[in-house]
Amino acid sequence: GIVFSGRYDSSNNVTDMASIGGGKENTTDGNFGGLLSFFTRPHNGSDTERMRIDSSGNVGIGTASPSSALHVDSSNDGPIFDSGGTGNTNHALLVRDSANNQLLRVNNDGNIGIGLTTGISSKLHVNTEMSMGPDANNRGIINYSSDTLSFGTRQSSSNYFSTVRITNGNVGIGTVPGAVRLNSVATASGNLAGMFTNTHASGSYGVKIQAGS
């Protein structure tokens, strides 16, 4: 290995402060897979391994058994990604797939885009569709496509996509929005297209329809 030493007081006393070591990463006879380890020494302590590169090229920080290209394990706060100061006017964090397609982007203004490369205009901006739920077959869905915002669900593998749709401020329930503010259609036998109930004791109206002001 390589040991780095330095003076630690005004009397020019020298001690070991850091080191780099390489070696066999396993105990299997005949297997010569190797590793490279980086050590630093805390005050009043001994050399401690901080980072390791294993034989497959995985890098571990805070772990001797990295399970991915970069594996960070810390008992303190997690990693910090610095955008690089005022010279970086683009992104603070960028995630891409193996084909170099952008998957997630965090801009320097704090806005997060998923499926977008430009035009990230809010704190969370998702291109096309977003789901909420425990798995693929049980979830709520929000989708935006062709000027229409849709809300739907998928329950026990059955699709109820686009249950509510909004286009140009008009709302369609069970149907596409028409030329009226609210259009509700029931397609199953026995279902109501709508029901309004006023349960307040002093309520005067169940439904009030008024023209003009």
Side-chain angles (χ1 to χ4, degrees):
I2 303 173
V3 177
F4 300 89
S5 301
R7 300 184 180 92
Y8 66 92
D9 61 16
S10 57
S11 300
N12 292 326
N13 290 307
V14 176
T15 189
D16 298 345
M17 294 184 175
S19 61
I20 301 174
K24 180 177 166 65
E25 71 174 356
N26 57 75
T27 59
T28 304
D29 188 34
N31 186 322
F32 46 82
L35 61 86
L36 184 65
S37 295
F38 298 80
F39 300 79
T40 62
R41 180 182 180 183
H43 178 60
N44 289 331
S46 57
D47 279 6
T48 302
E49 183 176 345
R50 308 298 186 184
M51 184 175 77
R52 172 177 295 202
I53 304 174
D54 67 14
S55 62
S56 64
N58 289 343
V59 178
I61 300 176
T63 177
S65 304
S67 58
S68 60
L70 177 61
H71 186 167
V72 180
D73 189 353
S74 175
S75 58
N76 299 314
D77 291 337
I80 296 174
F81 297 90
D82 196 313
S83 64
T86 56
N88 180 4
T89 59
N90 296 310
H91 59 267
L93 177 65
L94 186 64
V95 179
R96 297 185 292 197
D97 64 15
S98 58
N100 226 29
N101 296 312
Q102 185 171 293
L103 303 178
L104 181 146
R105 182 187 186 101
V106 181
N107 280 346
N108 280 341
D109 58 7
N111 289 348
I112 301 172
I114 300 175
L116 292 163
T117 58
T118 59
I120 303 170
S121 57
S122 59
K123 288 303 179 185
L124 178 61
H125 193 159
V126 180
N127 186 19
T128 306
E129 186 174 292
M130 180 171 64
S131 293
M132 295 158 284
D135 55 56
N137 289 320
N138 295 277
R139 56 195 172 103
I141 303 161
I142 302 174
N143 178 282
Y144 183 84
S145 179
S146 301
D147 298 325
T148 297
L149 178 64
S150 301
F151 299 84
T153 59
R154 178 173 170 83
Q155 297 172 284
S156 302
S157 301
S158 295
N159 294 333
Y160 302 95
F161 296 160
S162 300
T163 302
V164 178
R165 285 177 274 196
I166 304 173
T167 302
N168 297 326
N170 294 343
V171 179
I173 301 176
T175 185
V176 296
V180 295
R181 281 303 183 202
L182 177 61
N183 187 10
S184 179
V185 174
T187 58
S189 176
N191 286 355
L192 297 175
M195 185 171 72
F196 300 87
T197 303
N198 186 346
T199 60
H200 196 280
S202 61
S204 301
Y205 303 100
V207 176
K208 180 178 181 180
I209 301 174
Q210 180 174 312
S213 58

